[in-house]
Amino acid sequence: MAHQPTDSLKVMFFLISLLFTVGSSENDLFLDFCGTWRHGKGPLSLNINLSTGCDKLSISANERTLSINGKITAQCRRNDVISLKKFGLDSEEDSSFCLFWEPLLDQLKLQVGGHSLILCWPASVLDTCCTDLSHGANTAEAKYGIKNGTVRNDVVNDKVHKAYNFGGSLTKCKKLCDQAVQESSYSNTHGEAVKRTQSIEHPCAYRSEVEMKEGFRGSDIKSPTTTGETSEPTTTIHLPPALHQAAKNSNAACTFFHNNSFFQEGPKEVQVLNDVVEITVADEIITDLSEPIRIGFHHNAIPKMHSRKCVSWDTRKDPLQVNWLVDGCVTQQRGPKHTDCLCNHLTYFTVLVQLEPRPVRHLLALTAITSLGCAVSVISCIALIIYLCRKRGRSKEQSIPIHLGLAVSLAFLNLLFFSTGVLANLGGESMCVWVGALLHYALLSSFSWMGIEVFNTFWLVYMVFSPSPKLYTWNIVGFILPAVPVIILAAVGGIYGLREVVPSDDISNPYRMCWMNVTNKAWLAHVCTNITVLALLVSAGFVMLFLVYRQIRTRDEWRQNRVAFLSIWGLSCLFGTTWGLTFLDFGPLSDFILFLSCILNSFQGFLLMLRFCMLDWIQKQGARPGLGSTSTTGSTRQHMLQEKS
């Protein structure tokens, strides 16, 4: 065909450019092959057939299947068919993919549909490595297959072909490792240049085997020291006698990895230490050891504001993607530069550092309390709204519309907060933009009505002869004004969305909710709106409580402890002063303040309803509540007028 000479020239020029790219390197340290998989619509799958050796690597595709076949690994064997439906690839669109092979770690990874799939886990290599994978002859063109095949960003062919074949050659792994150390830079599995110097750690994984003979009393293994640094090893391992009792095989292997970006993939809020350890016993799965394995990680100083947890990756549960879990490990912090991990099973281990946001202590208990409190508050506020509407019809009390506005805003706030977790899981990011904005509006509206309660009480006490502001004024301040900053922030964009709250005891299982994003822009909006309004509200509330106390402390009814307590407590519910506990979440009483704040604020609607019920009960008992409540504004105003006259 006419295009064959052109294709041959492309291959020839590619091979020449590859030669110049390698330069002085004797062997290839990695292979990255990328392309576009042109497939049909319907269920798609990944076919993996890998075995040890150094024969060839074939990457092929058709209408429904992407296949990775070859003999290039030192230890990895895999024969599997994986459905790609859960990765969102069931569409008519083309799917981009990249295959990364790193012979020094016997590591093979596929990136497709925005997901990284692990085909061969990192391991220590044996004597020889399969490298220098060179592109062979092109296969026939097809309707479905691989388009725009590239090696190290160099285009091999821009047409659709069924397969790309690569042939490899065996090289001494020690020679390949020495070559990597000597080079000033080399590319990692992502194809990004990583600067290295002569004093770097050996790029190969270091493996140490321990023979557990009869009467085994434990063994200590240390990682190799780093040239040019202190003689102290970065990682130490103690294998207990219980491991020998649980294992049928007498040999245990410890593999040390350093600076492997493969393990670093995950949320940007967390970071894995540079050092990762794999502990195995050949062909055995060992869990629930009676005496834990102790792994000591020596690392750079970790600030106190960043929590750290010992984690492990269970390759049986998550064979395709790295998923760090705290299950089976206990963390012991030995200072800012030393962390001990006590783990009762064998797999990959490291320390996960939480960067931002900071993990929340007792998140499960706090979530349960908040959900219960919000549910109870919604029901209580609805009951209170019905009660106030009925009372409004038979009373001329001017404070009832204000109480009604507060009850409505609190009902809306608690309803949204109760359902935000469900909506976040069902609707995802797109729905959370709207729900987060509504939740922000409900919070600001509740704060506004609490502020109105403060102002109204001040007016009743000190502006006795002045008429109260019109009702529409309160509605504008309580319902319309809070919408202004929310609309502005929504128009700016990037403020509201899906938020993950990380628990300190299980950082791999965050609580999802709709709120403000974790960005500098969203944090600034949070401070300028929520924190500022809350600080003003709490300050005004406490000042108003003091002024009310001074005004009515000499009354006879105030001398009754019951009335005095209900007066202050009732006004606290109205004024929102309990939200001031948010500013006290530090120091040795931090956990106590956290739970107290959670209980009082989530049950605020219930406490508000309870306040009105108690006032009615006191009135029926013949007691006189006085000005401890702004719900009795009629009697209050009358009493004040009598005093003035």
Side-chain angles (χ1 to χ4, degrees):
M1 291 187 290
H3 64 270
Q4 286 182 341
T6 305
D7 288 349
S8 301
L9 283 173
K10 285 183 177 179
V11 172
M12 183 179 68
F13 281 118
F14 166 71
L15 293 175
I16 292 174
S17 65
L18 187 61
L19 252 155
F20 282 105
T21 302
V22 173
S24 60
S25 298
E26 297 179 4
N27 300 101
D28 291 339
L29 298 175
F30 70 98
L31 169 74
D32 62 350
F33 173 80
C34 298
T36 302
W37 175 19
R38 176 159 292 176
H39 52 73
K41 184 179 181 181
L44 304 178
S45 61
L46 173 65
N47 189 357
I48 307 169
N49 187 2
L50 298 169
S51 57
T52 58
C54 192
D55 184 8
K56 68 174 183 178
L57 174 66
S58 176
I59 308 165
S60 59
N62 55 35
E63 184 179 0
R64 297 291 176 85
T65 305
L66 176 66
S67 300
I68 312 293
N69 301 284
K71 294 182 178 181
I72 59 171
T73 64
Q75 300 182 62
C76 176
R77 292 181 177 87
R78 187 160 192 172
N79 192 342
D80 202 358
V81 177
I82 301 166
S83 173
L84 297 177
K85 182 178 181 179
K86 61 181 178 180
F87 302 110
L89 295 180
D90 287 357
S91 67
E92 296 180 354
E93 298 180 0
D94 296 343
S95 300
S96 300
F97 73 93
C98 286
L99 185 70
F100 302 102
W101 165 243
E102 193 166 358
L104 285 174
L105 296 172
D106 205 33
Q107 179 176 297
L108 186 65
K109 181 179 69 173
L110 175 69
Q111 286 185 344
V112 58
H115 299 272
S116 295
L117 307 181
I118 305 157
L119 307 186
C120 286
W121 308 325
S124 60
V125 294
L126 302 178
D127 184 46
T128 57
C129 296
C130 186
T131 184
D132 296 336
L133 295 175
S134 57
H135 176 241
N138 289 332
T139 58
E141 293 186 24
K143 179 180 179 181
Y144 299 105
I146 301 173
K147 182 183 179 182
N148 297 329
T150 63
V151 176
R152 297 184 180 180
N153 297 323
D154 293 323
V155 178
V156 178
N157 197 294
D158 58 358
K159 295 180 173 60
V160 180
H161 290 272
K162 292 182 177 179
Y164 283 80
N165 299 309
F166 296 86
S169 60
L170 286 174
T171 304
K172 291 289 185 181
C173 293
K174 178 63 168 62
K175 177 184 176 183
L176 200 63
C177 287
D178 293 340
Q179 175 188 326
V181 173
Q182 291 170 3
E183 292 184 2
S184 60
S185 67
Y186 78 99
S187 297
N188 63 6
T189 55
H190 297 281
E192 301 170 345
V194 180
K195 296 297 180 182
R196 299 186 179 264
T197 62
Q198 291 288 349
S199 62
I200 64 167
E201 286 71 12
H202 210 273
C204 285
Y206 174 77
R207 180 185 176 96
S208 176
E209 293 191 0
V210 176
E211 185 177 0
M212 299 181 292
K213 298 180 180 180
E214 192 68 30
F216 179 72
R217 296 185 178 180
S219 179
D220 294 322
I221 304 100
K222 298 179 180 180
S223 65
T225 57
T226 304
T227 306
E229 295 183 5
T230 62
S231 58
E232 184 179 12
T234 56
T235 309
T236 59
I237 299 174
H238 173 73
L239 301 179
L243 179 60
H244 174 60
Q245 299 169 5
K248 298 177 181 178
N249 196 311
S250 61
N251 288 332
C254 302
T255 307
F256 300 88
F257 302 93
H258 188 81
N259 282 338
N260 188 349
S261 61
F262 173 89
F263 295 111
Q264 297 286 345
E265 295 182 354
K268 62 182 180 180
E269 293 85 6
V270 296
Q271 180 178 339
V272 175
L273 289 185
N274 291 332
D275 296 290
V276 176
V277 174
E278 181 193 18
I279 306 175
T280 59
V281 173
D283 301 323
E284 291 192 45
I285 298 173
I286 297 177
T287 58
D288 299 322
L289 290 170
S290 59
E291 183 181 356
I293 295 171
R294 180 181 291 272
I295 309 167
F297 291 97
H298 298 266
H299 43 73
N300 294 331
I302 298 176
K304 291 183 178 180
M305 67 181 67
H306 296 154
S307 69
R308 42 185 151 141
K309 288 286 183 180
C310 295
V311 292
S312 64
W313 169 32
D314 190 340
T315 55
R316 293 175 300 151
K317 294 181 180 178
D318 302 290
L320 288 174
Q321 294 180 300
V322 177
N323 185 20
W324 296 111
L325 302 174
V326 296
D327 301 344
C329 287
V330 176
T331 306
Q332 292 183 347
Q333 299 183 13
R334 303 292 186 183
K337 295 185 178 182
H338 186 191
T339 305
D340 278 352
C341 299
L342 278 64
C343 303
N344 63 2
H345 58 290
L346 303 186
T347 184
Y348 295 87
F349 302 97
T350 188
V351 175
L352 198 65
V353 181
Q354 185 73 28
L355 301 178
E356 185 67 31
R358 188 175 180 181
V360 178
R361 303 177 304 278
H362 317 295
L363 181 60
L364 181 60
L366 292 171
T367 303
I369 293 172
T370 302
S371 298
L372 177 62
C374 288
V376 172
S377 289
V378 169
I379 298 173
S380 302
C381 285
I382 293 175
L384 181 59
I385 291 170
I386 296 173
Y387 165 78
L388 291 173
C389 287
R390 290 180 176 179
K391 187 176 182 180
R392 187 178 182 181
R394 61 176 185 267
S395 173
K396 296 181 180 180
E397 202 173 306
Q398 297 181 6
S399 296
I400 290 181
I402 298 176
H403 302 327
L404 195 59
L406 177 59
V408 170
S409 62
L410 279 178
F412 187 43
L413 173 64
N414 284 281
L415 180 62
L416 282 176
F417 208 90
F418 178 78
S419 57
T420 181
V422 177
L423 295 174
N425 286 299
L426 291 178
E429 183 70 30
S430 57
M431 179 177 288
C432 275
V433 173
W434 296 99
V435 177
L438 285 175
L439 186 59
H440 190 200
Y441 164 76
L443 181 65
L444 292 179
S445 178
S446 298
F447 285 167
S448 297
W449 281 107
M450 293 174 199
I452 292 172
E453 292 280 7
V454 174
F455 183 82
N456 183 57
T457 304
F458 171 80
W459 196 276
L460 293 174
V461 176
Y462 289 96
M463 308 290 291
V464 178
F465 297 102
S466 301
S468 300
K470 300 295 183 182
L471 179 59
Y472 70 85
T473 305
W474 300 135
N475 288 330
I476 291 175
V477 175
F479 288 127
I480 298 178
L481 189 60
V484 175
V486 175
I487 293 173
I488 294 174
L489 293 175
V492 170
I495 303 296
Y496 307 108
L498 181 64
R499 179 75 173 266
E500 291 189 344
V501 184
V502 182
S504 60
D505 55 347
D506 187 5
I507 54 180
S508 64
N509 187 27
Y511 173 77
R512 294 158 64 90
M513 65 175 293
C514 299
W515 183 233
M516 291 183 167
N517 293 318
V518 187
T519 61
N520 292 334
K521 184 166 59 174
W523 171 250
L524 181 62
H526 172 65
V527 172
C528 293
T529 56
N530 303 329
I531 301 299
T532 302
V533 172
L534 181 59
L536 293 174
L537 172 65
V538 172
S539 301
F542 277 113
V543 170
M544 197 65 243
L545 283 176
F546 176 72
L547 293 177
V548 169
Y549 167 74
R550 286 186 56 189
Q551 189 72 24
I552 66 176
R553 62 181 177 176
T554 57
R555 297 187 185 179
D556 294 335
E557 63 268 22
W558 179 259
R559 303 181 189 279
Q560 302 178 36
N561 292 334
R562 179 180 59 186
V563 176
F565 172 78
L566 288 175
S567 298
I568 295 298
W569 178 257
L571 291 176
S572 297
C573 293
L574 287 180
F575 296 168
T577 50
T578 55
W579 288 83
L581 293 170
T582 306
F583 298 108
L584 303 178
D585 184 18
F586 60 88
L589 297 178
S590 176
D591 288 346
F592 172 76
I593 295 296
L594 192 63
F595 275 94
L596 184 62
S597 174
C598 179
I599 293 171
L600 294 179
N601 294 328
S602 60
F603 281 90
Q604 185 178 2
F606 170 74
L607 297 174
L608 197 62
M609 184 197 70
L610 186 63
R611 167 187 180 273
F612 284 96
C613 292
M614 293 300 296
L615 287 173
D616 274 0
W617 178 78
I618 291 175
Q619 287 177 344
K620 290 178 181 179
Q621 294 297 318
R624 188 179 182 185
L627 208 124
S629 164
T630 57
S631 67
T632 56
T633 51
S635 60
T636 297
R637 180 177 292 274
Q638 183 180 3
H639 185 86
M640 295 296 293
L641 288 172
Q642 289 174 355
E643 286 187 348
K644 295 292 182 180
S645 60

